[in-house]
Amino acid sequence: MHIAMMGLGRMGMNMARRLLRGGHTVTVWNRSADKVRQMVQEGAQGADSPEAMVRMLPQPRIVWCMLPAGDVTRQTLETLAGLLSPGDMVIEGANSYWRDDAPQAAMLAERGIGYVDAGVSGGIWGLEEGYCTMVGGDAAHVALAAPALDTLAPADGWRHVGPVGAGHFVKMVHNGIEYALMESYGEGFQLLREGPFPGLDLHAVAALWNRGSVVRSWLLELLEAALQKDPQLDSIQGYVEDSGAGRWTVLETVHHGVAAPVLAQALYRRFASRQDNAFSNRVLAALRNEFGGHAVKRS
């Protein structure tokens, strides 16, 4: 098939490469032209504007957007609404809030343009391993996207999970679980490091647990690799950002009355990681000093 890829970031560029390897014709556009030129050297068709990109596509045109979620994606979809024709389709693959999908789909539907939301997981390893993809939208629109999805995903690695918004909803929950898994590994390995047996080989433990234990996982394989390169992770600061999906997951648990304390705590731990000498901790120390005369460390 012939498909356009808008956005050549860490995910979009490798997705375009995987599509090219799968025999598809890929037209690419990116705000920075150097990445477009690089993909042209690798066999893609390069466009210098969204307008040029649309002109290069055969009908029905299929455009996959891998742009930053929020305003950038919304503005791009508004631009595409004025460029595409009835029967064309947009696949929105950003790490977007699922509640944004319905109004975006409705805006395009007014012009006869289809909309599919695709939650994509695979990171920088997706080029070789494939991209697990959670897809929402009408069945007819998903069928148009199927040849690209078949190429991008590993075997049985994509699924039409429901109507518009369902793909990003499932991906949001996936990311919330990911936060909690990462936090569990972090806490467990800190206990190994600080516990009664100093000098434990943390890389060896991670490698051991990946050989048949019930806590083995791809995340643990990645931690094993990180510990092999830097056994005490001395080169890394414990400052952890969040993409937004963890926040949305916690908001949805409140909205639906679902108890998810582990998911919430994993998100809050990320917030705490960004605070140096947090005021809340100073409050705790001050209170212990006031009611119990416990010593405090002065700055």
Side-chain angles (χ1 to χ4, degrees), residues 15-262:
M15 289 170 69
R17 288 181 172 125
R18 189 169 171 95
L19 287 167
L20 286 169
R21 292 181 183 181
H24 300 281
T25 301
V26 183
T27 299
V28 297
W29 174 85
N30 192 69
R31 284 176 293 178
S32 56
D34 57 328
K35 291 185 176 181
V36 174
R37 288 191 291 269
Q38 183 175 341
M39 289 307 303
V40 168
Q41 292 175 355
E42 297 181 30
Q45 298 180 358
D48 59 8
S49 68
E51 293 80 2
M53 177 198 72
V54 169
R55 288 195 299 268
M56 297 168 73
L57 295 172
Q59 292 181 299
R61 304 178 185 93
I62 300 176
V63 179
W64 193 309
C65 292
M66 288 299 294
L67 297 163
D71 290 342
V72 173
T73 287
R74 183 164 47 254
Q75 292 163 8
T76 300
L77 293 177
E78 291 170 354
T79 297
L80 288 173
L83 297 174
L84 298 175
S85 303
D88 295 343
M89 186 177 71
V90 174
I91 304 169
E92 208 282 81
N95 203 21
S96 296
Y97 190 25
W98 71 274
R99 292 183 182 273
D100 293 338
D101 287 312
Q104 290 173 170
M107 181 264 296
L108 292 171
E110 290 178 356
R111 299 171 182 255
I113 302 165
Y115 182 94
V116 165
D117 58 287
V120 184
S121 179
I124 59 175
W125 298 89
L127 176 60
E128 302 301 333
E129 302 293 333
Y131 298 89
C132 176
T133 309
M134 298 137 265
V135 182
D138 293 340
H141 296 149
V142 173
L144 282 176
L149 293 165
D150 287 339
T151 297
L152 288 169
D156 298 321
W158 74 270
R159 183 170 294 275
H160 182 196
V161 296
V164 165
H168 281 144
F169 181 81
V170 173
K171 178 58 163 50
M172 176 194 73
V173 177
H174 162 284
N175 281 25
I177 293 170
E178 177 187 300
Y179 281 32
L181 289 171
M182 293 169 69
E183 177 63 23
S184 295
Y185 284 129
E187 292 178 10
F189 274 83
Q190 179 161 358
L191 180 57
L192 289 172
R193 185 175 184 269
E194 307 294 338
F197 300 101
L200 281 176
D201 186 335
L202 301 184
H203 169 257
V205 173
L208 174 64
W209 286 353
N210 273 322
R211 277 40 170 201
S213 87
V214 296
V215 298
R216 67 188 183 275
S217 73
W218 185 49
L219 284 172
L220 189 56
E221 290 174 8
L222 295 175
L223 179 56
E224 178 186 343
L227 290 169
Q228 184 176 35
K229 291 180 285 190
D230 186 354
Q232 297 299 321
L233 302 182
D234 292 326
S235 63
I236 300 172
Q237 292 188 2
Y239 184 103
V240 187
E241 286 286 6
D242 68 285
S243 64
R247 303 183 189 207
W248 301 331
T249 303
V250 172
L251 288 173
E252 290 298 323
T253 67
V254 175
H255 181 76
H256 295 284
V258 174
V262 175

